[in-house]
Amino acid sequence: MIPVQFDYLAPTSVEEALAALGQHGDDAKILAGGQSLLPVLRMRLNAPEVVIDLGGISSLRGIRDDGDALVIGAMTTHHDVRDDSLVKEHALLLSKAAAEVADAQIRHRGTFGGALAHADPAGDLGAPALALGAQFVIAGPGGTRTVDAADFFVDLFETAIGDDEILTEVRIPKHTGWGAHYEKFVRVAHQWPIVAVAATVKGSIDEARVGLTNMGSTPLRATATERALAGASATEDGVREASQLAAEGTNPPSDLNGAADYRQHLARVLTGRAVLKAAGV
């Protein structure tokens, strides 16, 4: 299908983009990489009068070192996140997860910030961002504000970004030297995960961070498993026992890909695999 006719704006600064968003309000949609928005427009599930393309704002792209954190521009592509040397050194989990996003074409067009702002609970980047304690920098008419990952994901396809605001960058606390793995379960290649687990561990599990994909209306932390793993030895039996707690507090969907109890079973199994691989076992 062909989208409904709309006006196209291509600002070259965040200030211009915010002005356009403020002028057109609910009639406008933000275009980042377009991998989620364009299919929606083509199917006429949404019909904005104005599309504001952020692709011309160079300040929203790139990855830089900022002391105890990495700063990733919202318009940085999945491909660049996957391959960046700073990300591999200080936030390996993000590199591992970005490598699992869809296919090469989408990784070259889709953007890190766009995917997180879209907030699909089956998206591959929300759980790693949550596990790493990301902070989201949001620009609006009143200036910028920073929101912790735990408060950023509000509900299904809903975030803390206001209607008149734009996500500009994401700050990722450094996890230098931490092992990491992203374990994704799909029926066919390039599919959204039925369930996925993002795990990063320090040393021989001095500390563990575990994020869950598609186990509720937002990305979740497997906090009970994290507590059980803290200070534990990286043995298969110990990790798998702690992983039995991974589904606590989750509310996964039931659909054609699997019932809720099946997804909870997958979460326990995949958590064990992810933690063991992150620990190098």
Side-chain angles (χ1 to χ4, degrees), residues 138-162:
I138 300 169
T144 62
R145 61 191 180 98
T146 301
V147 179
D148 291 339
D151 300 316
F152 180 77
F153 300 103
V154 176
D155 204 343
L156 185 72
F157 298 110
E158 183 181 353
T159 71
I161 304 172

Side-chain angles (χ1 to χ4, degrees), residues 195-206:
V195 174
V197 176
T200 188
V201 302
K202 182 181 181 181
S204 186
I205 319 193
D206 300 323

Side-chain angles (χ1 to χ4, degrees), residues 152-174:
F152 180 77
F153 300 103
V154 176
D155 204 343
L156 185 72
F157 298 110
E158 183 181 353
T159 71
I161 304 172
D163 292 339
D164 57 352
E165 294 180 317
I166 294 171
L167 176 66
T168 58
E169 60 188 29
V170 182
R171 297 181 59 85
I172 307 293
K174 288 182 179 178

